[in-house]
């Protein structure tokens, strides 16, 4: 199916600057971008043009790290740091997802809001519960959003209401993998989701590493978020030299297929390891501020050509809106710069790149409007003025709301608000 | 006039903790709080109760520093630091306020939005234009909001489209002071507003210091925001040992009557001076991040019992909403803590105190629900649940919107959205 879309297109082919195509025509064939130009070739004369007039059209937002089950807890308990916050707020909430009715209610609200804020692709942690995870996967498939999603694996160091039996964790994970393989969805895929090193026994990590290789699966987890967490990992694995090396040891660092959230306190050796292995970093700035974790040295990683996207990290982060996460990313980089003058602040185009093409590349050709990219897009309605398109985008990012988003596409298909 | 209001009241008498009075009755007499208790005295039997049921009732928000004229520029130009940002974006916009139609349009939008976000008191910079400032004062009087507002004084170091003649600046300021004195308003008052040291000649600062004393006027300005700015002040006044001492030298530091915005890079001597003089500090966290100015050591100043409130600093700040400014204040304090372990993060109740009673004290007995305080309040409607009132407030602060505010009072009088 051919689509022709007209409007003011903005995107970041490179992170250093915006590409602007005003009053242009985009041709999309079966969800994939064929061309973007000022004039429309005659061969498309018979195609009805979706004309968005003076509105802005930007790539959909990509959220590289979040916990769907923690949606009800956004904005709660931020006077604590990571480990007490997990025990006091997060784990008790996640334990309630044993009840499918509760899970259904929270996951419905979560997906509605994810669509509302303009996220078109996301990497999502469920909970450790098989049935509730199945439900989340099913609801995501219905939503039209693109997602990687996984049942959390956690068989140590949690309350008995939440901790798993190792064998059950393995079997339930295999069940979900097989369901995904036997009934593949075009947009929603399974992702191995070991919570973080302190929550997963060596036995389970070993098995997950084997599954990853056997089924060629993507993996998501957490790394170097908090100093107490890192000290704990060192106590749990005293013979392995670093937190990142623990994942490496269990074959969980897969090239272009693993996402590690946070990565604030990495040693030079860990940075080298993640860079060599082509591991994605999910920068979760709101969470890192809320839980007093610190500022990730984003500029340092960008200068090092690492793979990076943004994550809302609901509910360590309080906002699902990638607009707000871009603003917080820029602000944190500026505050970091005031004490580290060698690392200049993140610019608007760089933040936009991270929230679109940077994270989008984990999904393939996603997050840009170049030829061959999947057409994930948001149509933005603002108060038209005589300002430049880039200035209007800047305003939307800093002061917009989800109400400014009047149309959403994922791989060419319109996604409806629920 | 007696009013009786019923609901769940929350406020901060001390900054360390919330006071919660659930299902309680507040009696207000001519705008001033008489009592807040579980039971209503029989003497009020005939007064109609405004019953807000399960809703939350909190003090109105106080914004201690903002530029009304810069409202159209929120979210614009943050890839620059302070001085280039002023010249490139702020001064050209302010110059357009010579045109009263433009001023009218922007000031109307500004006041609508100020009411919308729940700010009930504010200290406001206009521009250097007499007529436009008169218009802003008049519109603020009509709005029902409580405000201090001033024409900006600036007779050096700006483009000729904006810089003033010294004599005109003096005369126009005297005109506005006299208009205020001859036709006093219960809620809106004039405030001397020298832009900042680099914008005001010694001659004009001298005259403003004299006016301040003669008419016992409050004063607002900027201090120690940016390192280039501080170096410039030192070059302009090489014989005066610090930026703060320049204001002191010209008698512009008036006890309990002067507000200095930013105060990020103060020397110990400047901290002592502001503390001794009982000068208010307006902490403008969003602006300080957006313009790469740095993190103000808020905990240090709180430990030193200084007078502090929050300022949105539109348009260095991108959001007028004090909810968001509270969140950013807490986040910045946590990031500061990760590199300065001696200064613990700002808690939720402390941020709330700063946005209500802390800034409110500049206006008198404002910002709390203690007996004798003026009844400035917001009624908050959320999704009632079985959570505690404090938890509900925390959610509103982190994830609410202006739509959650269903009623606004200033000194007992209902303020309507425009």
């Amino acid at each position: 199916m051919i689509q022709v879309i007209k409007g003011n297109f903005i995107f970041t082919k490179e992170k250093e600057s915006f590409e602007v195509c005003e009053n242009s025509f985009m041709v999309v064939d079966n969800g994939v971008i064929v061309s973007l130009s000022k004039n429309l070739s005659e061969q498309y004369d018979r195609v009805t043009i979706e004309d968005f007039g003076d509105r802005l059209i930007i790539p959909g937002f990509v959220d590289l790290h979040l916990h769907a089950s923690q949606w009800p807890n956004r904005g709660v308990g931020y006077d604590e740091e990571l480990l007490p916050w997990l025990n006091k707020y997060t784990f008790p909430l996640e334990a309630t997802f044993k009840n499918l009715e509760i899970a259904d209610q929270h996951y419905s609200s979560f997906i509605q809001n994810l669509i509302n804020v303009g996220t078109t692709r996301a990497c999502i942690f469920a909970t450790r519960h098989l049935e509730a995870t199945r439900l989340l996967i099913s609801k995501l498939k219905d939503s039209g959003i693109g997602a990687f999603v996984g049942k959390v694996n956690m068989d140590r160091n949690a309350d008995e209401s939440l901790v798993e039996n190792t064998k059950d964790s393995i079997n339930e994970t295999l069940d979900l993998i097989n369901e995904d393989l036997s009934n593949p969805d075009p947009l929603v895929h399974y992702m191995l989701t070991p919570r973080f090193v302190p929550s997963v026994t060596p036995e389970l990590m070993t098995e997950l590493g084997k599954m990853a290789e056997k089924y060629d699966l993507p993996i998501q987890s957490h790394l170097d978020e908090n100093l107490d967490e890192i000290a704990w990992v060192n106590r749990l694995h005293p013979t392995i030299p670093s937190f990142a090396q623990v994942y490496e040891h269990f074959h969980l660092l897969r090239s272009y297929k693993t996402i590690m959230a946070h990565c604030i306190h990495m040693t030079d050796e860990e940075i080298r390891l993640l860079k060599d292995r082509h591991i994605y970093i999910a920068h979760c700035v709101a969470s890192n501020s809320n839980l007093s974790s610190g500022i990730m040295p984003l500029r340092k990683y960008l200068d090092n050509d690492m793979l990076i996207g943004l994550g809302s990290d609901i509910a360590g982060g309080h906002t699902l809106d990638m607009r707000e996460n871009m603003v917080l990313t820029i602000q944190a980089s500026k505050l970091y710069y005031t004490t580290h003058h060698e690392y200049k602040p993140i610019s608007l185009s760089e933040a936009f790149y991270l929230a679109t093409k940077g994270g989008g590349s984990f999904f393939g050709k996603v997050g840009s409007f170049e030829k061959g990219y999947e057409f994930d897009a948001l149509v933005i309605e603002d108060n038209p003025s005589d300002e430049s398109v880039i200035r209007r985008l800047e305003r939307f990012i800093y002061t917009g709301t989800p109400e400014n988003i009047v149309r959403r596409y994922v791989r060419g298909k319109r996604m409806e608000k629920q």
Side-chain angles (χ1 to χ4, degrees), chain A residues 371-386:
Chain A
K371 187 177 170 179
Y373 271 68
E374 302 185 22
F375 183 63
D376 288 15
L378 307 176
V379 180
I380 309 297
E381 184 165 278
D382 54 3
N383 293 318
S385 66
D386 54 0

PDB file of all heavy atoms in Angstrom, chain A residues 371-386:
ATOM      1  N   LYS A 371      15.220   7.513   3.575  1.00  0.00           N
ATOM      2  CA  LYS A 371      14.713   6.456   2.700  1.00  0.00           C
ATOM      3  C   LYS A 371      15.021   5.085   3.312  1.00  0.00           C
ATOM      4  O   LYS A 371      16.144   4.853   3.777  1.00  0.00           O
ATOM      5  CB  LYS A 371      15.386   6.575   1.335  1.00  0.00           C
ATOM      6  CG  LYS A 371      14.808   5.636   0.303  1.00  0.00           C
ATOM      7  CD  LYS A 371      15.449   5.833  -1.059  1.00  0.00           C
ATOM      8  CE  LYS A 371      14.986   4.697  -1.976  1.00  0.00           C
ATOM      9  NZ  LYS A 371      15.520   4.808  -3.321  1.00  0.00           N
ATOM     10  N   GLY A 372      14.033   4.204   3.303  1.00  0.00           N
ATOM     11  CA  GLY A 372      14.235   2.866   3.843  1.00  0.00           C
ATOM     12  C   GLY A 372      13.850   2.739   5.306  1.00  0.00           C
ATOM     13  O   GLY A 372      13.774   1.625   5.833  1.00  0.00           O
ATOM     14  N   TYR A 373      13.592   3.867   5.962  1.00  0.00           N
ATOM     15  CA  TYR A 373      13.173   3.819   7.368  1.00  0.00           C
ATOM     16  C   TYR A 373      11.677   3.520   7.469  1.00  0.00           C
ATOM     17  O   TYR A 373      10.897   3.885   6.590  1.00  0.00           O
ATOM     18  CB  TYR A 373      13.501   5.144   8.082  1.00  0.00           C
ATOM     19  CG  TYR A 373      14.889   5.127   8.677  1.00  0.00           C
ATOM     20  CD1 TYR A 373      16.019   5.117   7.844  1.00  0.00           C
ATOM     21  CD2 TYR A 373      15.084   5.055  10.053  1.00  0.00           C
ATOM     22  CE1 TYR A 373      17.288   5.049   8.385  1.00  0.00           C
ATOM     23  CE2 TYR A 373      16.352   4.998  10.600  1.00  0.00           C
ATOM     24  CZ  TYR A 373      17.453   4.987   9.767  1.00  0.00           C
ATOM     25  OH  TYR A 373      18.704   4.905  10.293  1.00  0.00           O
ATOM     26  N   GLU A 374      11.315   2.854   8.561  1.00  0.00           N
ATOM     27  CA  GLU A 374       9.896   2.612   8.814  1.00  0.00           C
ATOM     28  C   GLU A 374       9.241   3.939   9.183  1.00  0.00           C
ATOM     29  O   GLU A 374       9.832   4.747   9.895  1.00  0.00           O
ATOM     30  CB  GLU A 374       9.741   1.588   9.939  1.00  0.00           C
ATOM     31  CG  GLU A 374      10.442   0.277   9.577  1.00  0.00           C
ATOM     32  CD  GLU A 374      10.230  -0.831  10.598  1.00  0.00           C
ATOM     33  OE1 GLU A 374       9.249  -0.769  11.358  1.00  0.00           O
ATOM     34  OE2 GLU A 374      11.057  -1.759  10.621  1.00  0.00           O
ATOM     35  N   PHE A 375       8.015   4.140   8.700  1.00  0.00           N
ATOM     36  CA  PHE A 375       7.351   5.418   8.950  1.00  0.00           C
ATOM     37  C   PHE A 375       6.639   5.393  10.307  1.00  0.00           C
ATOM     38  O   PHE A 375       5.456   5.073  10.418  1.00  0.00           O
ATOM     39  CB  PHE A 375       6.378   5.757   7.813  1.00  0.00           C
ATOM     40  CG  PHE A 375       5.729   7.103   7.986  1.00  0.00           C
ATOM     41  CD1 PHE A 375       6.496   8.261   7.986  1.00  0.00           C
ATOM     42  CD2 PHE A 375       4.352   7.216   8.164  1.00  0.00           C
ATOM     43  CE1 PHE A 375       5.893   9.511   8.161  1.00  0.00           C
ATOM     44  CE2 PHE A 375       3.759   8.460   8.324  1.00  0.00           C
ATOM     45  CZ  PHE A 375       4.526   9.604   8.338  1.00  0.00           C
ATOM     46  N   ASP A 376       7.400   5.722  11.353  1.00  0.00           N
ATOM     47  CA  ASP A 376       6.835   5.989  12.683  1.00  0.00           C
ATOM     48  C   ASP A 376       6.804   7.502  12.807  1.00  0.00           C
ATOM     49  O   ASP A 376       7.854   8.145  12.676  1.00  0.00           O
ATOM     50  CB  ASP A 376       7.742   5.476  13.795  1.00  0.00           C
ATOM     51  CG  ASP A 376       7.754   3.969  13.924  1.00  0.00           C
ATOM     52  OD1 ASP A 376       7.302   3.283  12.993  1.00  0.00           O
ATOM     53  OD2 ASP A 376       8.230   3.487  14.970  1.00  0.00           O
ATOM     54  N   ALA A 377       5.647   8.081  13.071  1.00  0.00           N
ATOM     55  CA  ALA A 377       5.599   9.543  13.067  1.00  0.00           C
ATOM     56  C   ALA A 377       4.527  10.101  13.986  1.00  0.00           C
ATOM     57  O   ALA A 377       3.552   9.420  14.320  1.00  0.00           O
ATOM     58  CB  ALA A 377       5.362  10.043  11.645  1.00  0.00           C
ATOM     59  N   LEU A 378       4.742  11.343  14.384  1.00  0.00           N
ATOM     60  CA  LEU A 378       3.763  12.118  15.148  1.00  0.00           C
ATOM     61  C   LEU A 378       3.469  13.391  14.364  1.00  0.00           C
ATOM     62  O   LEU A 378       4.399  14.034  13.866  1.00  0.00           O
ATOM     63  CB  LEU A 378       4.329  12.508  16.517  1.00  0.00           C
ATOM     64  CG  LEU A 378       4.881  11.385  17.391  1.00  0.00           C
ATOM     65  CD1 LEU A 378       5.492  11.967  18.667  1.00  0.00           C
ATOM     66  CD2 LEU A 378       3.792  10.371  17.718  1.00  0.00           C
ATOM     67  N   VAL A 379       2.199  13.746  14.284  1.00  0.00           N
ATOM     68  CA  VAL A 379       1.818  15.026  13.685  1.00  0.00           C
ATOM     69  C   VAL A 379       1.498  15.987  14.824  1.00  0.00           C
ATOM     70  O   VAL A 379       0.696  15.674  15.703  1.00  0.00           O
ATOM     71  CB  VAL A 379       0.608  14.868  12.750  1.00  0.00           C
ATOM     72  CG1 VAL A 379       0.231  16.228  12.149  1.00  0.00           C
ATOM     73  CG2 VAL A 379       0.909  13.850  11.659  1.00  0.00           C
ATOM     74  N   ILE A 380       2.186  17.133  14.800  1.00  0.00           N
ATOM     75  CA  ILE A 380       2.111  18.083  15.912  1.00  0.00           C
ATOM     76  C   ILE A 380       1.362  19.331  15.476  1.00  0.00           C
ATOM     77  O   ILE A 380       1.734  19.969  14.487  1.00  0.00           O
ATOM     78  CB  ILE A 380       3.535  18.519  16.358  1.00  0.00           C
ATOM     79  CG1 ILE A 380       4.441  17.312  16.598  1.00  0.00           C
ATOM     80  CG2 ILE A 380       3.459  19.439  17.565  1.00  0.00           C
ATOM     81  CD1 ILE A 380       3.994  16.411  17.695  1.00  0.00           C
ATOM     82  N   GLU A 381       0.332  19.657  16.241  1.00  0.00           N
ATOM     83  CA  GLU A 381      -0.403  20.895  15.961  1.00  0.00           C
ATOM     84  C   GLU A 381      -0.060  21.914  17.032  1.00  0.00           C
ATOM     85  O   GLU A 381      -0.241  21.656  18.223  1.00  0.00           O
ATOM     86  CB  GLU A 381      -1.901  20.607  15.979  1.00  0.00           C
ATOM     87  CG  GLU A 381      -2.730  21.799  15.618  1.00  0.00           C
ATOM     88  CD  GLU A 381      -4.158  21.378  15.291  1.00  0.00           C
ATOM     89  OE1 GLU A 381      -4.395  20.947  14.147  1.00  0.00           O
ATOM     90  OE2 GLU A 381      -5.005  21.442  16.185  1.00  0.00           O
ATOM     91  N   ASP A 382       0.476  23.042  16.622  1.00  0.00           N
ATOM     92  CA  ASP A 382       0.775  24.100  17.594  1.00  0.00           C
ATOM     93  C   ASP A 382       0.026  25.348  17.158  1.00  0.00           C
ATOM     94  O   ASP A 382      -0.884  25.284  16.337  1.00  0.00           O
ATOM     95  CB  ASP A 382       2.291  24.340  17.688  1.00  0.00           C
ATOM     96  CG  ASP A 382       2.920  24.631  16.346  1.00  0.00           C
ATOM     97  OD1 ASP A 382       2.184  24.701  15.336  1.00  0.00           O
ATOM     98  OD2 ASP A 382       4.147  24.777  16.284  1.00  0.00           O
ATOM     99  N   ASN A 383       0.346  26.473  17.733  1.00  0.00           N
ATOM    100  CA  ASN A 383      -0.230  27.721  17.257  1.00  0.00           C
ATOM    101  C   ASN A 383       0.674  28.233  16.150  1.00  0.00           C
ATOM    102  O   ASN A 383       1.735  28.775  16.428  1.00  0.00           O
ATOM    103  CB  ASN A 383      -0.281  28.753  18.379  1.00  0.00           C
ATOM    104  CG  ASN A 383      -1.248  28.340  19.466  1.00  0.00           C
ATOM    105  OD1 ASN A 383      -2.337  27.843  19.185  1.00  0.00           O
ATOM    106  ND2 ASN A 383      -0.839  28.508  20.716  1.00  0.00           N
ATOM    107  N   PRO A 384       0.267  28.040  14.912  1.00  0.00           N
ATOM    108  CA  PRO A 384       1.153  28.431  13.817  1.00  0.00           C
ATOM    109  C   PRO A 384       1.525  29.903  13.947  1.00  0.00           C
ATOM    110  O   PRO A 384       0.718  30.715  14.384  1.00  0.00           O
ATOM    111  CB  PRO A 384       0.303  28.202  12.569  1.00  0.00           C
ATOM    112  CG  PRO A 384      -0.833  27.350  12.992  1.00  0.00           C
ATOM    113  CD  PRO A 384      -1.048  27.615  14.431  1.00  0.00           C
ATOM    114  N   SER A 385       2.737  30.215  13.653  1.00  0.00           N
ATOM    115  CA  SER A 385       3.201  31.594  13.738  1.00  0.00           C
ATOM    116  C   SER A 385       4.221  31.758  12.624  1.00  0.00           C
ATOM    117  O   SER A 385       4.388  30.886  11.788  1.00  0.00           O
ATOM    118  CB  SER A 385       3.841  31.844  15.089  1.00  0.00           C
ATOM    119  OG  SER A 385       5.017  31.066  15.203  1.00  0.00           O
ATOM    120  N   ASP A 386       4.887  32.884  12.620  1.00  0.00           N
ATOM    121  CA  ASP A 386       5.876  33.083  11.559  1.00  0.00           C
ATOM    122  C   ASP A 386       7.248  32.572  11.995  1.00  0.00           C
ATOM    123  O   ASP A 386       8.259  32.898  11.398  1.00  0.00           O
ATOM    124  CB  ASP A 386       5.938  34.564  11.166  1.00  0.00           C
ATOM    125  CG  ASP A 386       6.186  35.452  12.375  1.00  0.00           C
ATOM    126  OD1 ASP A 386       6.308  34.904  13.497  1.00  0.00           O
ATOM    127  OD2 ASP A 386       6.244  36.675  12.204  1.00  0.00           O
TER     128      ASP A 386
END
